[in-house]
């Protein structure tokens, strides 16, 4: 994003796919407690696209993530050890 000042940046961020993808990536990684794999990246891309298209609130983004199989279903590979 090219911007001239903070106000210009704040006007461009809501319409920036990169900003939505960055936010979705970081939130998803935090919520699942690990780096994203290939399947997770598809979920992240879907959340980012939906967030940008519908201008989702943080609550709606979180609900979108927790309803995904990436969040709800974990493989043995990712389960933490006791």
């Amino acid at each position: 994003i090219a911007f001239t000042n903070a106000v210009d940046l704040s006007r461009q961020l809501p319409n920036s796919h990169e900003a939505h993808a960055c936010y979705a990536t970081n939130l998803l990684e935090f919520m699942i407690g690990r780096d994203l794999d290939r399947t997770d990246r598809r979920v992240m891309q879907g959340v980012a696209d939906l967030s940008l298209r519908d201008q989702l609130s943080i609550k709606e983004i979180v609900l979108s993530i927790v309803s995904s199989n990436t969040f709800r279903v974990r493989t043995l590979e990712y389960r933490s050890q006791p």
Side-chain angles (χ1 to χ4, degrees):
I1 298 174
F3 58 94
T4 56
N5 56 42
V7 173
D8 185 29
L9 176 62
S10 69
R11 287 183 180 145
Q12 291 188 47
L13 283 178
N15 300 313
S16 164
H17 190 269
E18 293 87 359
H20 287 265
C22 180
Y23 191 81
T25 298
N26 286 291
L27 187 57
L28 183 56
E29 284 180 341
F30 175 77
M31 291 176 69
I32 62 175
R34 60 177 167 78
D35 292 334
L36 304 183
D37 64 18
R38 190 176 333 172
T39 303
D40 302 333
R41 291 193 183 285
R42 287 194 299 265
V43 171
M44 178 279 300
Q45 191 64 48
V47 169
D49 292 346
L50 186 64
S51 172
L52 177 60
R53 187 187 73 223
D54 296 345
Q55 295 294 298
L56 298 181
S57 68
I58 294 171
K59 178 181 177 181
E60 292 168 317
I61 294 170
V62 169
L63 288 172
S64 178
I65 291 171
V66 299
S67 65
S68 72
N69 283 340
T70 293
F71 184 82
R72 294 183 305 114
V73 180
R74 296 186 184 210
T75 63
L76 290 175
E77 176 182 344
Y78 295 120
R79 292 192 181 159
S80 59
Q81 300 298 319

